[in-house]
Amino acid sequence: MPFRAALELFPSQAALEAGEQRLRATPQDPQLQLFMAWALRQRDMPRALALAEALEAHAATLAEPERRGLRLRLQLLRAEAALLYAQLEQLEPLLAAIRAEALALGDLGAQADAAWLAQGLAALRGDFAGEQRELLAAAAAAEQAGDALRLLIFRAELGRSAAFQDNLKAEQDWGPLLPAELAGLPPAARAAVADFRGVLAALRADYEACIASFGAAFEAALESGQLRRAIALASNLGFNYGNMADYETALSWLQRGLELARAAGWPSLVGGCLMHVGEVLRHLGQLDAAREALQEAQQVLRPLPHGRNQAVRLNVLARIELESGRYAEALAAYEEMAALPSAAAADLRVIAGIGRARALLGLGRVAEAATGIQQTLSRARAQFNRNYEIEALWAQADIALALDPHGPAALGWYEQALAQAASLPAYRPQAALLEAASAAQAAQGRFERAYALAHEASANRQRHFSEEATRRMTGLRAQHQMERARVEHEHLRRNHELLLHLSSISQEITTELQAERIFEALERLVHTMLDAQSVAIYTLDEAGGQLVCSFGMESGQAFVDPPIALDSPNSYCARALRERREFVLGAGELADPHSEVPGTRAMLSMMFVPLRLSERMLGVMTVQSVRAAAYGEREQLILRMLCSYGAIALENARAYQRLGALQQQLMAQEKLAALGAMVAGVAHELNTPIGNSLLVASTVLAATHALAERVEQPQPMRRAELQAYLQQAGEGLAVIERSMQGAGALVSSFKQVAVDRSAEQRRRFRVAEVCEQCAQTLGVALRQAGVGLQLQLETAPQLDAYPGALGQVLVILMSNALTHAFAGRSGGTLTLELHALAGERISLSVADDGVGMSEAVRRRVFEPFFTTRFGQGGSGLGLSIAHNIVESLLGGHLSVSSAPGQGSRFTVELPLRAP
């Protein structure tokens, strides 16, 4: 059979596995070796190149036509390696030689593949016209050769490339040439078509459709061995999840792509992942970490100075400089970006235009910014990219505000931006945009709309705060550090280098607090280190009587195995759990035929390892391969360690679930108790003025009835009688008026506290008013406890923060003193002090002359669930909540000083403007 270049562009995983089996049977078959080298070129490039070297020796024994055909295909393989490793100096002359030879042989398949590689080279250089030219040449050669699969892939890639210039035209030109349905397509074609559709959706900010398409493309790319495309898709998924403000998922995808890219050693893909990591870290406000990621990306991308990744890297760097207030540096980065050939792409021109306008605005060059943003907004609308249009409208509004601070123009631009944001599914507008729009509405006297926008901004910030607090709960894994250290120490002596690697990835597993994500992380790590076509995890059910298949994946397809009884004689999973040992099959011991799961493929190598935490068994994990003798001592060590980390992580997840339920219950109880105390206090305070008003009203009513009766009598009324009634009525109504004014003021104060508490509204306010409201709220409780309250409130600047949150902190601190400081005492004094500090800060302190605290208690007082009165009315959450509010939401610091018998002082230091 002649060696021709027309091998399938990306053979499927099933074809590769079949080739592996045939190669074991006939390892010297050169045609089979060529197929395996070609199929492995992105899956395992070092092995593919080794097979190519072995085939070179065989080529000398072939006749000329076959020898030239074989060497042509090997040259194509080496050219792809040079492309992936960014060895561009070697790639260009290699491609020229390949094209000349393919033309001489009349090999259309090789001509198509050479053009395909040439477009990759053009893309790395930022040469859009060259990229399109080479893709058209590849498609023409494939069509002439009658290769429908290559033609479909190349057309999808043409559409994908063109979309960055004009996504509407790209869809019109190339969409009709591609299948409407992905089902039934070969994996390689499915990946290319879904990738094209994902890019179209991403450029229009349709993130749900984008993520669905990119997810399907990622799975198909892995199945067809397109590791280069899979890494790029993982990076793009991370970028688009970041646009949706789902930063946890974004970083997960980026980490997955970065691991694959680093393992492969491909600079352009490592750099692409790193720059998107920098963008997500920028969104999270971790600017120093973002800069570090971009610096590493710059080093990795040094051989590729003109590509699209460089332009995107400069954009992320410029945005970091904008957020740091370094407008001149941001403008310089955008100017450098604009000079790159790749920045001519339509989407990058829009991104650079928005950033440049903001940099100019920051530098006070408002007229230049206004001119630039109008052009940019037109380009964004022409691209039908609503995400970029929102950012351009936002920038236009800020510029309009700078041009005319009191005019209505800015208001219209803000409303357009918010209307576009509302039209995007799963899109959450940034709090800064909502706050800017709220300020513009308030400036025009539209206070109801301003309040609604401020409330939405506050809710978004609070949601982010809650997500951050949840992530910090991963500290639960600390209780298992000793167990993990014991496992690591046991195996360190056996394989030091491997153990260091496993320790470096252990955090990925043990920081997860959801069982599903733990299973996914274990499967992903298995595939990076072991040959495994099947991965399954079985966990003990609640009753402990059977194993349940919690996770199963074979060749990319999920499966669920029926429950397994622990006394099953044919199940290796049950045996592994019962006997508390590992089973490795395929080397000396063969699997029992009765143990195979119906409907799954026959596996030649298997490992079964218990999920064990100390002496407690949680379940079993099994990995299986179609290769014989695939698992030795090293593979056992890897799976054993992964199972150890997996067991720790699963126990953490269960503990976290239990703790979360308990925390929610206690939080609900505490909120109800606080509400009850507040309502009781207000009711008590209202009782006196309302009671006085009722008494006086009854008296005046009785006098009025008496006057009416006197008027009906035949004797004329004397002047003195009327004057006496009028005097009595006037005095009574004056008492009623004073009482109702007092009650009205109390209700108004209570209403303001309730609104601030429920909405977490951000506004400017006097701290002294909040202190007085809190004192009034707790007035009844203080009097009942016999505790006096002294207010020492200096005149201090107003705060721009969250009065409800600050009030909650003060109520918690004062209530804590009532509960703990005066236990066993008949009364005491509580002092609330307010002082202005230097550096635009204030200090609030709540001090008592109570029993004080020991040093051991003082050190732990802010820990969640720590209390000295557990079961006696103390949940241990109050001070922890106060500490989190002060440190996170208000941007301040909460500290305590105390000594036994000398009382306690809690001090809150706050900036005048909350973060």
Side-chain angles (χ1 to χ4, degrees):
M1 178 180 177
F3 288 91
R4 307 294 289 175
L7 292 169
E8 184 178 348
L9 189 59
F10 292 106
S12 68
Q13 184 68 24
L16 175 69
E17 292 169 5
E20 286 277 15
Q21 290 182 342
R22 294 200 308 272
L23 189 63
R24 284 193 292 271
T26 56
Q28 302 305 317
D29 183 347
Q31 189 75 52
L32 189 54
Q33 286 179 320
L34 175 60
F35 168 80
M36 289 300 298
W38 185 250
L40 288 167
R41 70 190 192 281
Q42 286 193 21
R43 292 177 169 100
D44 187 349
M45 183 62 83
R47 186 182 171 197
L49 291 173
L51 285 168
E53 289 299 320
L55 280 167
E56 277 287 357
H58 177 76
T61 66
L62 298 175
E64 182 177 352
E66 289 191 341
R67 181 173 68 250
R68 291 177 69 181
L70 173 58
R71 284 183 170 162
L72 180 58
R73 177 52 61 184
L74 297 180
Q75 288 293 78
L76 280 165
L77 191 153
R78 293 191 180 99
E80 186 159 357
L83 176 69
L84 293 171
Y85 291 117
Q87 298 165 348
L88 306 190
E89 300 81 6
Q90 302 175 26
L91 177 58
E92 199 158 14
L94 190 55
L95 277 177
I98 290 170
R99 291 182 132 168
E101 181 70 356
L103 189 62
L105 291 175
D107 193 329
L108 291 170
Q111 292 175 36
D113 289 354
W116 166 258
L117 293 175
Q119 71 83 23
L121 175 60
L124 289 180
R125 289 176 168 168
D127 180 6
F128 170 74
E131 183 181 353
Q132 286 281 300
R133 184 176 60 253
E134 296 294 352
L135 280 170
L136 286 168
E143 187 172 20
Q144 190 177 352
D147 191 330
L149 181 57
R150 271 182 171 79
L151 179 60
L152 178 56
I153 293 171
F154 296 159
R155 282 176 172 172
E157 198 65 26
L158 271 162
R160 184 185 187 280
S161 173
F164 290 104
Q165 293 296 324
D166 188 336
N167 63 72
L168 290 174
K169 189 173 185 303
E171 184 174 27
Q172 292 168 1
D173 291 347
W174 299 105
L177 300 179
L178 302 175
E181 296 293 333
L182 295 178
L185 290 178
R190 193 162 68 245
V193 175
D195 194 356
F196 165 62
R197 291 177 182 165
V199 168
L200 288 179
L203 290 172
R204 297 171 189 174
D206 186 357
Y207 294 120
E208 288 184 335
C210 157
I211 285 168
S213 294
F214 279 159
F218 177 83
E219 297 298 332
L222 287 181
E223 185 179 354
S224 56
Q226 298 183 74
L227 187 58
R228 178 187 180 194
R229 189 189 295 274
I231 295 170
L233 285 163
S235 179
N236 288 333
L237 278 162
F239 176 79
N240 285 285
Y241 270 112
N243 283 335
M244 292 175 64
D246 186 353
Y247 303 121
E248 181 180 358
T249 307
L251 288 174
S252 174
W253 272 107
L254 288 168
Q255 183 178 5
R256 187 171 184 179
L258 195 55
E259 286 173 357
L260 293 172
R262 289 191 193 279
W266 299 337
S268 66
L269 296 164
V270 173
C273 290
L274 284 169
M275 69 186 185
H276 284 154
V277 168
E279 173 70 357
V280 173
L281 291 173
R282 181 190 70 78
H283 279 298
L284 289 169
Q286 300 179 23
L287 301 187
D288 290 338
R291 282 194 178 94
E292 291 177 6
L294 293 179
Q295 288 170 0
E296 185 180 355
Q298 183 180 19
Q299 294 298 320
V300 172
L301 294 172
R302 194 177 297 278
L304 310 166
H306 305 300
R308 181 181 175 87
N309 284 348
Q310 286 286 10
V312 177
R313 181 188 66 80
L314 285 168
N315 170 60
V316 178
L317 177 62
R319 297 189 76 170
I320 291 173
E321 301 295 1
L322 281 177
E323 293 180 10
S324 303
R326 294 157 51 94
Y327 302 111
E329 290 81 357
L331 184 60
Y334 279 121
E335 299 290 358
E336 183 181 353
M337 174 184 170
L340 294 176
S342 55
D347 63 322
L348 293 179
R349 287 205 307 272
V350 172
I351 292 170
I354 295 170
R356 189 173 183 277
R358 287 208 169 274
L360 289 169
L361 178 62
L363 291 170
R365 295 158 61 178
V366 184
E368 292 178 62
T371 302
I373 198 61
Q374 290 172 5
Q375 297 174 352
T376 300
L377 181 56
S378 298
R379 287 173 178 161
R381 284 171 170 163
Q383 277 280 296
F384 197 62
N385 188 311
R386 287 175 289 176
N387 187 30
Y388 295 157
E389 187 177 346
I390 291 168
E391 292 215 12
L393 288 166
W394 183 2
Q396 177 80 74
D398 288 348
I399 293 168
L401 197 63
L403 288 170
D404 184 4
H406 304 293
L411 189 64
W413 293 115
Y414 283 129
E415 285 301 317
Q416 285 189 51
L418 292 174
Q420 284 292 346
S423 70
L424 294 181
Y427 184 88
R428 186 186 304 166
Q430 294 186 41
L433 170 58
L434 292 164
E435 288 169 351
S438 174
Q441 293 281 359
Q444 296 298 315
R446 301 173 63 177
F447 299 109
E448 183 175 353
R449 175 65 173 158
Y451 172 80
L453 291 172
H455 177 53
E456 186 178 354
S458 175
N460 282 0
R461 289 192 186 279
Q462 186 62 33
R463 188 182 298 112
H464 176 65
F465 166 73
S466 300
E467 290 168 355
E468 287 293 318
T470 300
R471 280 193 285 273
R472 285 197 295 272
M473 290 297 288
T474 55
L476 284 168
R477 70 178 188 279
Q479 60 185 305
H480 298 295
Q481 289 300 314
M482 292 300 294
E483 173 67 15
R484 187 172 67 181
R486 183 191 69 78
V487 175
E488 291 177 351
H489 179 71
E490 177 184 346
H491 296 286
L492 186 59
R493 292 175 285 106
R494 299 181 59 186
N495 196 325
H496 181 68
E497 182 178 356
L498 176 61
L499 190 57
L500 286 177
H501 173 63
L502 288 169
S503 297
S504 70
I505 65 173
S506 66
Q507 190 172 5
E508 178 181 354
I509 304 173
T510 54
T511 54
E512 295 291 355
L513 292 176
Q514 295 180 8
E516 293 79 6
R517 296 182 64 84
I518 294 168
F519 299 149
E520 291 171 1
L522 287 169
E523 187 219 7
R524 184 166 64 251
L525 292 170
V526 163
H527 284 304
T528 61
M529 291 183 287
L530 298 174
D531 183 303
Q533 283 72 51
S534 176
V535 179
I537 299 171
Y538 301 81
T539 56
L540 274 172
D541 65 356
E542 291 294 331
Q546 60 182 2
L547 285 168
V548 177
C549 182
S550 300
F551 181 87
M553 191 71 68
E554 182 177 297
S555 300
Q557 299 296 319
F559 71 87
V560 177
D561 187 13
I564 303 171
L566 290 188
D567 58 358
S568 172
N570 299 324
S571 170
Y572 283 98
C573 288
R575 288 185 60 188
L577 196 76
R578 288 198 310 267
E579 301 174 20
R580 296 173 173 261
R581 69 183 183 95
E582 302 165 7
F583 287 90
V584 180
L585 312 178
E589 182 179 358
L590 296 177
D592 185 336
H594 298 290
S595 67
E596 294 181 3
V597 178
T600 59
R601 300 173 59 187
M603 299 293 172
L604 300 180
S605 297
M606 308 178 190
M607 283 194 291
F608 299 85
V609 177
L611 293 166
R612 176 175 176 173
L613 191 65
S614 296
E615 296 304 314
R616 191 151 58 89
M617 307 299 286
L618 304 181
V620 175
M621 181 172 179
T622 175
V623 298
Q624 302 178 14
S625 171
V626 296
R627 290 174 51 205
Y631 304 134
E633 183 177 346
R634 176 183 177 279
E635 288 73 22
Q636 282 183 261
L637 174 62
I638 291 172
L639 187 59
R640 187 181 303 133
M641 290 297 294
L642 289 177
C643 287
S644 296
Y645 294 134
I648 293 171
L650 287 172
E651 183 62 20
N652 281 350
R654 292 175 181 176
Y656 174 74
Q657 187 177 12
R658 293 193 297 269
L659 182 60
L662 176 61
Q663 184 179 13
Q664 289 180 358
Q665 182 181 357
L666 292 174
M667 288 282 285
Q669 291 175 352
E670 187 153 312
K671 286 182 178 179
L672 287 173
L675 178 62
M678 183 183 296
V679 172
V682 172
H684 185 276
E685 292 297 329
L686 288 174
N687 187 53
T688 299
I690 291 175
N692 291 340
S693 297
L694 286 173
L695 178 61
V696 172
S698 299
T699 303
V700 172
L701 183 62
T704 302
H705 286 318
L707 179 65
E709 292 174 359
R710 179 68 184 84
V711 169
E712 296 296 327
Q713 294 176 4
Q715 298 86 359
M717 181 184 294
R718 291 180 298 167
R719 181 185 183 91
E721 290 178 312
L722 181 59
Q723 288 177 335
Y725 168 77
L726 291 175
Q727 180 179 358
Q728 184 180 15
E731 291 174 350
L733 291 174
V735 170
I736 292 173
E737 181 183 29
R738 287 195 302 274
S739 297
M740 289 299 100
Q741 285 177 344
L746 182 61
V747 170
S748 177
S749 174
F750 175 69
K751 181 180 179 182
Q752 181 63 57
V753 171
V755 168
D756 284 342
R757 292 275 178 87
S758 64
E760 286 296 353
Q761 180 187 15
R762 180 178 184 134
R763 60 182 174 87
R764 295 185 64 82
F765 61 94
R766 290 181 59 248
V767 182
E769 289 180 356
V770 174
C771 295
E772 291 163 357
Q773 289 170 357
C774 293
Q776 194 171 23
T777 299
L778 292 175
V780 175
L782 290 168
R783 288 193 292 273
Q784 289 177 348
V787 175
L789 176 63
Q790 296 181 0
L791 299 179
Q792 299 177 11
L793 308 177
E794 291 184 2
T795 301
Q798 289 188 338
L799 284 191
D800 179 1
Y802 304 91
L806 179 58
Q808 184 179 0
V809 169
L810 292 177
V811 169
I812 288 173
L813 295 178
M814 295 166 71
S815 299
N816 183 74
L818 287 177
T819 303
H820 299 279
F822 306 111
R825 294 193 178 189
S826 56
T829 302
L830 198 61
T831 304
L832 179 58
E833 300 178 10
L834 167 63
H835 303 286
L837 302 177
E840 295 189 340
R841 296 178 70 83
I842 64 163
S843 170
L844 272 168
S845 63
V846 177
D848 63 71
D849 56 358
V851 297
M853 291 179 270
S854 67
E855 180 63 18
V857 171
R858 188 194 66 79
R859 283 199 303 267
R860 301 187 60 194
V861 74
F862 295 125
E863 292 181 11
F865 303 108
F866 173 77
T867 177
T868 58
R869 294 175 60 84
F870 200 81
Q872 305 174 47
S875 68
L877 281 174
L879 291 179
S880 173
I881 294 170
H883 186 269
N884 282 337
I885 292 173
V886 172
E887 301 278 340
S888 299
L889 185 62
L890 300 177
H893 179 64
L894 174 60
S895 60
V896 60
S897 59
S898 182
Q902 298 181 23
S904 303
R905 176 180 292 270
F906 289 85
T907 303
V908 179
E909 290 190 13
L910 298 174
L912 295 184
R913 180 177 175 81

